[in-house]
Amino acid sequence: MASAERQILPVNSMFAEPAIDAVRRDDGAIILRSRTPLAAAARCSGEWLEHWARSVPDRTFLAERRGDGWTGLTYGETRAQVRAAAAWMLAQGLGPDRPLAILSDNSIAHAVLALAAQHVGVPVSAISPAYSLMSTDHEKLRAMIRLLDPGAIFVAQRAPFAPALSAIESLHRATIIAGDGDGTSAVPLQSLIATTPGPEVDRAFAAVTPDTVAKLLFTSGSTGQPKAVINTQRMMTTSQQAKAQLWTFLREVEGGPVIVDWLPWSHTFGANHNFNLVLSQGGSLYIDGGKPAPGLFDTSLANLRSKVPTIYFNVPRGFDMLIAALKTDDDLRQQFFSGVRCIFYAAAALPQNL
């Protein structure tokens, strides 16, 4: 026999009041179910972009560090570039069976192309740059490309990815897009965002359903070749709808949440959780070119001195390095805690000392 009990946990002003049913089974398992129904979610991620581009077109959505300052795109500018790139993809025959593969790390260009693909029903697969830049045999990258059969492959800069592109050249029929493309060996990114979108983009966007495949995210490959995990539009939008209902403080952040984030979009934490959180809430994402590694975390600290996030995401190693910096830098500590309302970690257990 299983017994049922109802629990009301203490109210927290930043979060929804938990209201759950707990069913204790004879085998010791406890099944928890929320009594709060999930409200209707967006049809697709493109609806978020369309909404914010209409309501706050001049608000910064994406920004990245260039030199001593930040350069970015507003919601209105992002929508314009997304529609243009989407028109190019449709003209090139990309679709459900011919996805977009992105080999480069987080960037504004990466975001625009990924959103463009999702906008018109083209699955996008962001592949960790390590498979291209650190591998010597590119075996796992080759396996991924064989599986995807992409219609287009994007790299931010052609030269660093030249060995990887050479290794997969015979395995695909994709068009190579390069952020620095010269128009001969690769299509320049600029030509995509210069495309004039027509009614075909509107038709394709209207045809996207919650069951449309939005992404193919690869597993780590620790038990063999990486496997492509299907992410539908519904999986992304309902997850963010649940987050919005639980993290009620998100609605109270004027101008939407601000994050300064390095977590890679080839993984669900950085992409489906962090990126989509900002997009769904109309916030601003400052792309951090650093990471919690020797010689790179100084970049993250410089970015935190420049922009104060309202939510800070990281992995345990990142918090270990951040705490060391906060203990010795009074200005950074005061600035950081002046704006941060929520700190969130994932990817591994957080040691008790942190």
Side-chain angles (χ1 to χ4, degrees), residues 222-235:
S222 57
T223 59
Q225 295 294 356
K227 301 170 183 64
V229 179
I230 293 172
N231 288 219
T232 65
Q233 291 283 352
R234 177 184 284 110
M235 292 165 70

Side-chain angles (χ1 to χ4, degrees), residues 90-341:
L90 291 174
Q92 296 295 313
L94 274 69
D97 297 322
R98 299 206 66 205
L100 168 69
I102 298 178
L103 307 189
S104 299
D105 214 338
N106 303 3
S107 67
I108 290 177
H110 179 148
V112 166
L113 292 180
L115 290 172
Q118 294 176 39
H119 207 76
V120 291
V122 177
V124 59
S125 182
I127 297 173
S128 172
Y131 293 117
S132 295
L133 302 179
M134 298 179 67
S135 174
T136 55
D137 60 12
H138 299 105
E139 177 185 355
K140 290 186 176 179
L141 177 63
R142 289 165 59 87
M144 294 176 188
I145 295 301
R146 285 195 195 97
L147 182 64
L148 291 174
D149 187 21
I153 298 172
F154 172 71
V155 294
Q157 296 176 308
R158 187 170 176 85
F161 288 87
L165 291 174
S166 177
I168 63 174
E169 187 174 10
S170 63
L171 305 177
H172 66 82
R173 48 202 173 108
T175 300
I176 304 299
I177 308 165
D180 60 351
D182 57 12
T184 55
S185 57
V187 174
L189 174 65
Q190 192 60 38
S191 68
L192 273 70
I193 59 179
T195 304
T196 301
E200 75 284 355
V201 172
D202 298 320
R203 288 194 297 269
F205 174 64
V208 175
T209 75
D211 291 320
T212 298
V213 176
K215 296 180 180 180
L216 297 164
L217 286 181
F218 278 96
T219 62
S220 65
S222 57
T223 59
Q225 295 294 356
K227 301 170 183 64
V229 179
I230 293 172
N231 288 219
T232 65
Q233 291 283 352
R234 177 184 284 110
M235 292 165 70
M236 298 195 306
T237 59
T238 55
S239 174
Q240 288 303 327
Q241 179 60 39
K243 179 69 70 175
Q245 291 179 226
L246 291 171
W247 288 18
T248 54
F249 77 93
L250 291 172
R251 298 192 293 267
E252 302 164 5
V253 178
E254 185 177 355
V258 174
I259 72 172
V260 181
D261 195 49
W262 68 271
L263 286 148
W265 298 338
S266 52
H267 296 278
T268 198
F269 184 15
N272 291 344
H273 189 277
N274 299 357
F275 183 95
N276 283 352
L277 176 72
V278 172
L279 176 58
S280 64
Q281 295 294 325
S284 301
L285 168 55
Y286 291 86
I287 300 169
D288 179 9
K291 61 181 61 178
L296 294 174
F297 197 63
D298 285 347
T299 298
S300 294
L301 293 177
N303 290 334
L304 288 174
R305 292 186 180 97
S306 173
K307 295 294 177 182
V308 180
T310 52
I311 310 173
Y312 187 68
F313 299 110
N314 217 320
V315 297
R317 176 57 177 156
F319 284 110
D320 187 23
M321 300 179 78
L322 176 64
I323 288 171
L326 293 176
K327 283 182 175 179
T328 58
D329 190 327
D330 292 349
D331 291 339
L332 175 62
R333 182 172 64 251
Q334 292 176 13
Q335 176 169 298
F336 182 79
F337 287 111
S338 72
V340 171
R341 299 190 62 186

